[in-house]
Amino acid sequence: MKPPVKIKSPFILSLLLISFLFSCSQPRQGNILLTDGWKFQPGDNPSFSSPLFNDSSWEDISPLDLWDAQGHADLDGYAWYRIHVNIPSSLKTHAYFKDSLIIFLGKIDDRDQTWLNGKPLGQNGKTVSAGTKFPDDIPNGGETWAVSRKYMLAADDLRINWDGENVIAIRVFDRGGLGGMYGPAPYISMRDVGDYVTFNLRKEPFMISRQVNYKKIIVLNNASTKDDFDGVLSVEVINQENDRVIFSETTTTHLKAGKALRHSISFINVDTANCLLQCSFKPEKSKNIITANVGAPYILTPPPPASPRINGPRVYGTRPGHPFLYRIPVTGERPVSIDVKGLPEGLKIDDNTGIITGKILRKGDYPVRITARNAAGTDTATLLIRAGNTLALTPPMGWNSWNVWGLSVDADKVKAAADAFLSTGLADHGWSYINIDDGWEAPHRTPDGAITGNEKFPDFKDLSGYVHSKGLKLGIYSSPGPYTCGGYLGSYQHEFQDAKTWAGWGIDYIKYDWCSYGKIAKDNSLEELQKPYLLMRKALDTVNRDIVYSLCQYGMGHVWEWGATVGGNLWRTTGDITDTWNSMSGIGFRQNTASPYASPGHWNDPDMLVVGWVGWGPHIRPTRLTPDEQYTHISLWSLLSAPLLIGCDLTRMDDFTMSLLTNDEVLAVDQDPLGKQADKVYVKGNIQYWTKPLADGSWAAGIFNLGEGKEKINVMFSDLKLKGNSYEVRDLWRQKNLGTFHKGMELKIPSHGVVLLKITRGV
Ligand code: GLA
């Protein structure tokens, strides 16, 4: 269905920035690079398109960076770029195709008209004929800022001045925000195989089984409608730590016009290290080699033992008198029997499922002794059930529909996610919330003002019954404004009614997203920022249900300083995350400001996880984060005591993604009952140390390498701000003791990677 109103979401804005940061690619060999010599002039004048115009007084500018980064931060509207370039006919001599010239101008934010020697060449990335009359205003045509400007002309086109000076003039219109030309580097070349043939190494993820057997399908597309290409396809997998070649293969290949070649490789990799898959296609009769590479995942998490292991938090908050639901997460070979001692009055457990239900009548702390048994052994643990005022005594762990399905979420997808929590075993590691984000709301309220689900969500009671029957919880989403960020109905002026409706449906978690409330708020004062959140808090307090309250307003007014006082259990500290290194690391490594404000029941939320298959809509793809970036993501979020909300398709889990989300020692850092958030205690160049005190008196420490190359470093305990001399150190991803160390230790950290440690005072 079409949402009634479209509100520009912070998600779109962050994508805009990210695509700018990530759009660098290699220019082609042996061509004319157009990185230098550009002239720039704000304003607009038709004479600027003429080759005769004298632009020598214009300022110099780089086409690789937006104009905002080059002294024009406040420039919106029109501006012009010009360059003078000689195009030698020798370009044609070695060309694969001698019939056409390419003029590639990178990307332009956000619209353009381009002239070659005074004649129209292209508009917003579409080549036009020489006789075209450009409209006065450059047409918008959608997301024109993201489109590559690649113009193709017949070699005998009269607009080209072979062996002489050519003037390219670009009229740019920026409607607001960032503007101008930006990478990849512009160039001029003859048409080549590389204009049609590209690798897609992300289409099919690596499949790993038993930690060492790797399989991957390499996809090589030929977008030409006419030409087949022959060439040599080479594939290598190289251990980045010691340069060992793990796999190498060369094959001659025939690429059919308009077809994608799918080439399967499989190999054994026992290195458990950062490895790179490098691919190249060398076309016959062309100098240009088409290359691409992608990191190969490696699994550090050992498989859980056959004997039972009780996972999940060691403390759990509820409010007396409210329905109680908790599924004890236990791994180990089935059948496992679960026995509990000390359950407070009003609660009961189902021994087969380990699901505790009921209602606690009185406030109090109830330590519950859990014993899990199977044929291979026994495990025991104490869970403190705290019946009081505070929920989410450890950060919520679950799934949210947004990063994968965006507005295309529906009830079946939500049920499938709940099923997958059990079938994959994720629930046995403590994952429990199934949260519906935007896109569930009907376009109109009922005559009595009640909100209902749209046709994708016909029956919320049925849905919550389904989710609860598995011992899982159900979350929902709304906005304090009249509309959500996706343009669906919000809760404005219906707050109490909506809270009651959700409670009636059996909702356990509400994400409350500012969005269109911006139009209601009088100003940006703290009072106005807090008002809608206080109101929904009041409304939630009137219902007879434990509903975790998640504030989402992107960090406005330093929400971490007051999120707890308006009754939030968690609050987003940033704009929307996306699956790139710049987005994830930019958000994660900035969280230290908010660190002092995290405590049990009150969490900073740096946004949801971007591992696995994501997509923000119906078309999903494997995350663009490299394997080491994914280790960094999960390690950092655990150190930050961040809510962990998986944002991928749970029905499409590969072993690597599962290994990231089921390492109980890593998850225990996030769920530690002390509830402190890690601090950034040391920064040197690209190296950062983050440490977090744990309830048992030990420390979790993340040693991160944000740089582009691997690093070997001597980590001194004093730099970790630890006072002792001698510490026992455990590698949490490998779940392996590294030994006792004095003063410090040497560690190797891959690019964009991490070593996550537990450090305990030596005896
Ligand atoms: C905003 C939020 C996202 C998501 C969308 C839904 O962008 O920050 O997390 O909830 O709205 O429209």
Side-chain angles (χ1 to χ4, degrees):
M1 72 167 270
K2 221 174 162 333
V5 182
K6 183 70 202 140
I7 291 156
K8 193 159 182 176
S9 88
F11 166 65
I12 303 288
L13 295 174
S14 61
L15 261 190
L16 195 113
L17 179 71
I18 296 311
S19 84
F20 148 60
L21 293 165
F22 266 79
S23 45
C24 323
S25 74
Q26 288 294 43
R28 220 179 278 166
Q29 298 283 309
N31 302 310
I32 308 168
L33 254 188
L34 302 181
T35 41
D36 296 319
W38 287 93
K39 294 287 190 179
F40 179 71
Q41 177 67 46
D44 194 28
N45 186 325
S47 68
F48 294 167
S49 67
S50 164
L52 304 174
F53 179 81
N54 181 355
D55 55 28
S56 58
S57 63
W58 286 15
E59 69 182 83
D60 296 332
I61 194 159
S62 163
L64 303 179
D65 240 346
L66 294 159
W67 66 47
D68 303 71
Q70 301 183 73
H72 294 281
D74 297 327
L75 177 59
D76 295 327
Y78 283 97
W80 283 71
Y81 289 75
R82 286 169 59 96
I83 192 165
H84 300 246
V85 54
N86 187 288
I87 307 181
S89 50
S90 61
L91 270 188
K92 289 183 250 182
T93 321
H94 300 293
Y96 188 95
F97 295 109
K98 301 188 193 309
D99 58 358
S100 310
L101 184 79
I102 303 271
I103 300 184
F104 178 78
L105 299 172
K107 295 183 181 183
I108 296 177
D109 191 347
D110 49 13
R111 315 176 195 170
D112 81 294
Q113 289 164 339
T114 296
W115 286 260
L116 175 63
N117 297 321
K119 296 277 183 319
L121 171 66
Q123 187 165 259
N124 298 333
K126 290 213 176 75
T127 314
V128 299
S129 64
T132 302
K133 178 147 176 26
F134 279 143
D136 288 346
D137 291 326
I138 312 176
N140 186 356
E143 306 270 280
T144 40
W145 58 271
V147 175
S148 287
R149 270 47 170 186
K150 189 173 187 179
Y151 301 119
M152 196 187 300
L153 301 171
D156 58 2
D157 192 300
L158 295 175
R159 283 172 283 186
I160 309 168
N161 183 16
W162 288 103
D163 294 315
E165 184 182 84
N166 293 266
V167 176
I168 300 169
I170 311 177
R171 179 187 187 219
V172 179
F173 177 76
D174 173 41
R175 84 197 130 138
L178 307 173
M181 295 179 78
Y182 65 103
Y187 61 80
I188 295 179
S189 76
M190 297 304 290
R191 178 164 84 98
D192 194 85
V193 183
D195 290 311
Y196 305 97
V197 175
T198 46
F199 283 102
N200 186 346
L201 297 184
R202 298 194 188 274
K203 187 155 174 67
E204 301 285 350
F206 272 99
M207 301 307 288
I208 314 178
S209 55
R210 296 200 189 89
Q211 318 254 129
V212 295
N213 297 324
Y214 283 64
K215 276 199 180 130
K216 165 104 176 157
I217 297 172
I218 290 160
V219 179
L220 190 54
N221 290 313
N222 178 4
S224 168
T225 49
K226 293 203 294 278
D227 299 294
D228 291 4
F229 299 110
D230 288 306
V232 175
L233 171 67
S234 305
V235 183
E236 276 199 331
V237 178
I238 295 173
N239 181 330
Q240 299 292 287
E241 277 178 24
N242 56 19
D243 298 328
R244 192 169 89 83
V245 178
I246 285 161
F247 174 81
S248 170
E249 186 194 81
T250 302
T251 38
T252 52
T253 308
H254 180 76
L255 299 182
K256 284 216 171 83
K259 292 267 175 329
L261 177 102
R262 293 164 65 84
H263 180 76
S264 299
I265 58 166
S266 59
F267 57 93
I268 291 178
N269 180 10
V270 292
D271 280 11
T272 322
N274 169 30
C275 297
L276 197 67
L277 168 72
Q278 300 178 327
C279 299
S280 69
F281 178 70
K282 162 89 185 70
E284 261 179 26
K285 293 184 245 148
S286 168
K287 271 201 187 150
N288 285 308
I289 302 177
I290 295 124
T291 61
N293 60 48
V294 71
Y298 55 104
I299 294 179
L300 296 177
T301 306
S307 59
R309 196 147 79 180
I310 301 165
N311 301 308
R314 291 296 179 253
V315 56
Y316 181 79
T318 183
R319 288 183 179 163
H322 289 180
F324 184 97
L325 177 69
Y326 183 81
R327 179 184 186 278
I328 300 174
V330 182
T331 52
E333 261 169 29
R334 273 24 190 187
V336 176
S337 74
I338 298 176
D339 176 52
V340 291
K341 295 227 157 33
L343 268 192
E345 197 190 333
L347 296 189
K348 63 174 190 330
I349 182 162
D350 178 325
D351 301 338
N352 295 320
T353 58
I355 300 174
I356 306 175
T357 51
K359 207 176 263 181
I360 299 182
L361 303 174
R362 276 180 302 277
K363 268 195 173 181
D365 278 357
Y366 304 97
V368 175
R369 191 75 187 148
I370 306 169
T371 306
R373 280 192 194 87
N374 69 5
T378 303
D379 191 25
T380 55
T382 301
L383 173 70
L384 180 69
I385 298 180
R386 177 161 283 170
N389 289 325
T390 315
L391 305 179
L393 294 178
T394 61
M397 283 173 63
W399 174 85
N400 172 294
S401 57
W402 183 249
N403 289 355
V404 50
W405 302 121
L407 296 173
S408 72
V409 62
D410 61 39
D412 287 342
K413 290 183 171 122
V414 175
K415 284 186 177 173
D419 292 344
F421 259 11
L422 269 75
S423 63
T424 59
L426 279 163
D428 299 333
H429 297 270
W431 299 92
S432 63
Y433 284 94
I434 297 287
N435 292 353
I436 305 160
D437 206 281
D438 204 356
W440 61 267
E441 311 87 338
H444 305 289
R445 290 174 178 270
T446 61
D448 63 357
I451 193 146
T452 58
N454 56 39
E455 72 283 3
K456 298 185 297 159
F457 288 91
D459 189 342
F460 269 104
K461 276 200 178 154
D462 167 72
L463 187 55
S464 76
Y466 188 86
V467 172
H468 292 157
S469 70
K470 295 170 189 292
L472 305 173
K473 316 263 179 62
L474 186 65
I476 211 167
Y477 165 99
S478 189
S479 170
Y483 294 102
T484 65
C485 292
Y488 289 79
L489 273 192
S491 293
Y492 183 55
Q493 293 181 329
H494 292 273
E495 295 80 3
F496 283 79
Q497 192 176 13
D498 285 359
K500 204 164 154 207
T501 303
W502 299 329
W505 287 345
I507 296 296
D508 307 294
Y509 182 115
I510 171 75
K511 170 172 168 186
Y512 207 43
D513 193 353
W514 178 267
C515 305
S516 66
Y517 193 83
K519 295 208 169 81
I520 307 291
K522 288 200 219 84
D523 51 41
N524 284 339
S525 65
L526 268 190
E527 199 190 339
E528 286 296 293
L529 290 177
Q530 294 176 351
K531 198 153 113 192
Y533 289 100
L534 279 167
L535 186 59
M536 181 49 77
R537 175 72 268 166
K538 265 198 192 153
L540 293 173
D541 286 340
T542 61
V543 303
N544 180 30
R545 226 186 141 71
D546 284 353
I547 300 182
V548 169
Y549 189 25
S550 152
L551 319 185
C552 177
Q553 45 85 289
Y554 340 116
M556 288 185 297
H558 294 181
V559 63
W560 46 91
E561 291 169 8
W562 49 265
T565 55
V566 298
N569 295 113
L570 55 147
W571 42 81
R572 273 269 296 278
T573 53
T574 78
D576 292 15
I577 197 168
T578 191
D579 57 329
T580 62
W581 167 249
N582 273 35
S583 169
M584 184 278 289
S585 68
I587 289 174
F589 289 110
R590 272 203 316 265
Q591 294 300 310
N592 50 311
T593 327
S595 166
Y597 302 95
S599 68
H602 312 294
W603 309 107
N604 293 306
D605 174 8
D607 208 0
M608 301 172 289
L609 303 177
V610 280
V611 300
W613 284 68
V614 295
W616 292 270
H619 307 294
I620 62 171
R621 54 176 155 74
T623 178
R624 288 175 290 173
L625 294 184
T626 68
D628 283 310
E629 291 168 358
Q630 296 181 58
Y631 277 117
T632 291
H633 186 19
I634 304 298
S635 305
L636 185 54
W637 262 237
S638 298
L639 284 162
L640 294 173
S641 306
L644 298 178
L645 290 163
I646 303 172
C648 70
D649 181 358
L650 295 178
T651 66
R652 233 176 149 154
M653 296 291 277
D654 55 88
D655 283 9
F656 174 65
T657 312
M658 271 303 285
S659 78
L660 290 169
L661 300 173
T662 55
N663 190 314
D664 300 310
E665 297 197 17
V666 174
L667 295 175
V669 171
D670 182 74
Q671 294 294 302
D672 187 74
L674 193 61
K676 293 272 189 218
Q677 177 172 325
D679 269 322
K680 177 159 48 177
V681 291
Y682 176 88
V683 180
K684 190 168 181 196
N686 290 316
I687 301 297
Q688 296 193 7
Y689 303 169
W690 290 67
T691 58
K692 164 175 174 160
L694 302 175
D696 65 3
S698 65
W699 295 80
I703 315 297
F704 294 94
N705 173 8
L706 283 68
E708 300 304 320
K710 58 189 173 192
E711 296 271 357
K712 197 197 275 181
I713 40 179
N714 247 324
V715 180
M716 304 308 292
F717 294 135
S718 55
D719 289 334
L720 289 167
K721 305 287 175 283
L722 302 180
K723 300 226 164 60
N725 247 338
S726 170
Y727 285 93
E728 280 164 24
V729 179
R730 184 167 171 84
D731 181 328
L732 291 180
W733 279 108
R734 292 184 167 81
Q735 301 186 356
K736 225 164 92 183
N737 288 334
L738 300 181
T740 301
F741 294 84
H742 302 281
K743 293 213 153 80
M745 60 190 305
E746 190 180 86
L747 290 174
K748 285 188 200 147
I749 326 277
S751 158
H752 293 187
V754 60
V755 173
L756 184 66
L757 302 171
K758 180 162 175 163
I759 303 182
T760 313
R761 192 85 182 243
V763 273

